[in-house]
Amino acid sequence: MSDTLAIVLRVLAVFVIFLVFPLVIGQTEHKVMAHMQGRLGPMYAGGFHGWAQLVADGVKFAQKEDIVPAGADRRIFQLAPAVALLPYLLVLIAIPVGPGNAVGQALDAGVFFVLAVMGVGVLGSLMAGWASANKFSLLGGLRTAAQLLAYELPMLLAAASVAMAAGTLSLPGILDAFHWWWVPWQIVGGLVFFTAGLAELQRPPFDMPVADSEIIFGAYTEYTGLRFALFLLAEYAGIVVLCALTAVLFLGGWHGPFGADGLGWLWMLLKTVVLAFGVIWLRVSYPRLREDQLQKLAWTCLIPLALAQIALTGVIKVVIS
Amino acid sequence: MGIPGSGLAKGLAVTLRTMTKRTVTEQYPDVQPELPSRTRGVIGLFEENCTVCMLCARECPDWCIYIDSHKETVPPAAPGGRERSRNVLDRFAIDFSLCMYCGICIEVCPFDALFWSPEFEYAETDIHELTHERDKLREWMWTVPEPPPLDPGAEQPKEIAAAQKAADKLAAQQAKEAEEAAAAQQAESAQAESGQAGEAPQAKDAGEEA
């Protein structure tokens, strides 16, 4: 009985994090982006500095009509937002937030599971692009596919480097094996992983699949109302997952500097938030990469770097042991 | 420029620096904007100064000033004098849907009856309601700010320069008169001195001892 209760509580906690964190990051993006552009951002909703802006947006989205285009593949079109969003919820279950047992569900093949399921999230965009019966959506979907192909590889290679270093695929296991000098050791892999993750989330500057000046809003062009909101939510949930995962794999998760490991979840939270700020910062600072630049960056820069990181990890691993 | 990637870092630095600076957003309906005192918001009419000379209406490039007046006769100031006639303002209106805020009427007014005011919140939902009559224009006079101080080293305004000139002239004349008076007095006392030569130095000594 208590086992069931514990599972229910864990799932509930993960679910709450899943619902709250993307909104917090979305609001932070509103505000940080505004101030980086010399603006104030939302100021009215909720009274104090527009804290309830995203709640208001949610209410607005819920009121809108849910339209499915006549020529669309109905079932696939309606299913796509769920396919885009739910994988991130599943990934969140496997991410450890604190020492010991503070994880939704410890998995032996955690890294494998997490990366595989994150790849599924991109399928949502593909389905949406294909099912919309719209040229722009199709273009967006195909760009998404091309981007997924190009950036999944460096992401996997970079994660593999950490798994090699730790000698385990389990995320809590990787954190247990973590030492502070892993950060400089794996720094290149970390940068590759973070960049590739950004590209997979289609965040600026890698937002070619939704380039609004060229193809309206890519795969999401035909969506309205709640389904559109789910796609947007998926993007922010993706930021949470990517930042948490980068923190776990490359920055030591709940480990604090100088052995200050108490309040482990606070370190984890801090690292995730700093990374999320970085995601927003990059969005504000850089213009969109062109499609060919995007592919070039992945194949000629990130993949060689990731391979070099794996080589470095292997050499040092052999030298140590 | 040499290091590859320095441009990327520079971009990040720019956005981060902007984030720490004050925002430029005006929170207008909540906070009134701070407008410079020469802002061309609306034209106020100081109707007590208006003599219905019609210069403003005639100079207005788009003919947006409407003036009606009539003449009144004023009884002679002194008995046996001639009756005087005087212009009385009946209507003074500016159509702000036509006005292009050139300010020529204000420049041209010889009696300082028109002024710029920074007041700008007089939008209407109907274009006909933008023709504002004299009572509204007179009310806007209260929002006319004090003229800004002159720039350092600037030429003085003509009124003050003229007054200064007159004052200087008067002062010079007074000084001249005083000089003449003093000279006359000296001559008088020189005459008296020949009689009481020894007294003055003694009086001075007494003053010092006290």
Side-chain angles (χ1 to χ4, degrees), chain A:
Chain A
M1 184 62 209
S2 66
D3 276 1
T4 322
L5 192 69
I7 288 172
V8 167
L9 275 180
R10 275 163 194 273
V11 170
L12 210 66
V14 170
F15 195 62
V16 166
I17 289 176
F18 178 70
L19 286 184
V20 171
F21 270 60
L23 291 184
V24 171
I25 287 182
Q27 181 70 18
T28 314
E29 182 175 63
H30 267 314
K31 282 306 207 185
V32 168
M33 193 154 77
H35 280 276
M36 280 183 170
Q37 296 167 342
R39 298 182 288 118
L40 285 171
M43 286 299 281
Y44 283 95
F48 180 75
H49 285 263
W51 67 269
Q53 183 59 46
L54 288 178
V55 180
D57 285 349
V59 171
K60 187 198 78 174
F61 279 128
Q63 287 171 340
K64 287 198 165 184
E65 187 185 356
D66 186 27
I67 298 171
V68 180
D73 189 339
R74 239 186 135 71
R75 293 278 292 283
I76 305 293
F77 184 85
Q78 288 175 332
L79 204 62
V83 174
L85 184 60
L86 286 181
Y88 294 118
L89 176 62
L90 290 179
V91 171
L92 220 49
I93 288 178
I95 293 178
V97 292
N101 211 10
V103 52
Q105 176 62 50
L107 295 170
D108 285 342
V111 175
F112 180 73
F113 169 80
V114 158
L115 291 176
V117 173
M118 266 181 89
V120 173
V122 184
L123 280 183
S125 303
L126 258 174
M127 286 165 66
W130 184 256
S132 290
N134 179 320
K135 286 178 206 161
F136 296 114
S137 298
L138 186 57
L139 276 174
L142 290 180
R143 284 182 181 184
T144 308
Q147 201 156 314
L148 172 69
L149 278 179
Y151 283 89
E152 192 74 2
L153 191 55
M155 202 171 171
L156 280 172
L157 291 175
S161 157
V162 179
M164 273 172 67
T168 172
L169 277 177
S170 151
L171 289 172
I174 288 174
L175 284 180
D176 287 337
F178 180 82
H179 297 287
W180 67 266
W181 48 268
W182 281 29
V183 174
W185 182 22
Q186 302 288 342
I187 184 83
V188 175
L191 289 175
V192 169
F193 184 87
F194 194 61
T195 314
L198 278 183
E200 205 151 303
L201 293 175
Q202 301 164 18
R203 288 286 299 176
F206 306 106
D207 59 341
M208 205 60 198
V210 292
D212 52 348
S213 46
E214 302 175 16
I215 50 174
I216 307 179
F217 208 51
Y220 317 133
T221 301
E222 295 289 354
Y223 281 88
T224 56
L226 267 184
R227 286 179 208 282
F228 182 68
L230 288 184
F231 273 121
L232 291 187
L233 192 64
E235 184 179 336
Y236 290 96
I239 295 175
V240 176
V241 166
L242 173 69
C243 293
L245 213 54
T246 310
V248 166
L249 290 177
F250 297 95
L251 299 176
W254 44 264
H255 288 283
F258 316 117
D261 285 359
L263 290 177
W265 60 271
L266 212 61
W267 283 117
M268 179 67 189
L269 184 69
L270 185 72
K271 288 169 183 174
T272 309
V273 167
V274 167
L275 283 172
F277 176 81
V279 171
I280 297 166
W281 191 9
L282 289 172
R283 172 178 179 175
V284 181
S285 301
Y286 295 144
R288 182 183 301 135
L289 262 70
R290 218 168 47 216
E291 189 64 37
D292 62 314
Q293 294 170 331
L294 219 120
Q295 295 293 332
K296 201 175 162 194
L297 177 70
W299 294 107
T300 66
C301 180
L302 292 186
I303 290 179
L305 278 178
L307 288 173
Q309 174 68 60
I310 287 189
L312 178 73
T313 308
V315 167
I316 291 188
K317 190 79 180 162
V318 168
V319 168
I320 290 171
S321 63

Side-chain angles (χ1 to χ4, degrees), chain B residues 95-165:
Chain B
D95 187 349
F96 284 102
S97 65
L98 290 179
C99 176
M100 61 183 189
Y101 300 86
C102 64
I104 289 177
C105 52
I106 293 161
E107 286 297 314
V108 87
C109 180
F111 301 103
D112 282 348
L114 290 170
F115 292 88
W116 278 121
S117 154
E119 176 64 38
F120 61 94
E121 292 174 309
Y122 54 98
E124 301 286 352
T125 49
D126 186 350
I127 198 167
H128 301 297
E129 287 164 20
L130 273 171
T131 306
H132 287 294
E133 298 292 335
R134 62 191 277 193
D135 45 347
K136 195 75 194 279
L137 298 176
R138 180 67 184 84
E139 249 169 60
W140 275 323
M141 263 320 286
W142 301 112
T143 63
V144 173
E146 230 176 279
L150 292 171
D151 292 338
E155 203 179 301
Q156 275 185 326
K158 275 183 185 141
E159 301 90 322
I160 295 182
Q164 189 70 48
K165 211 172 163 188

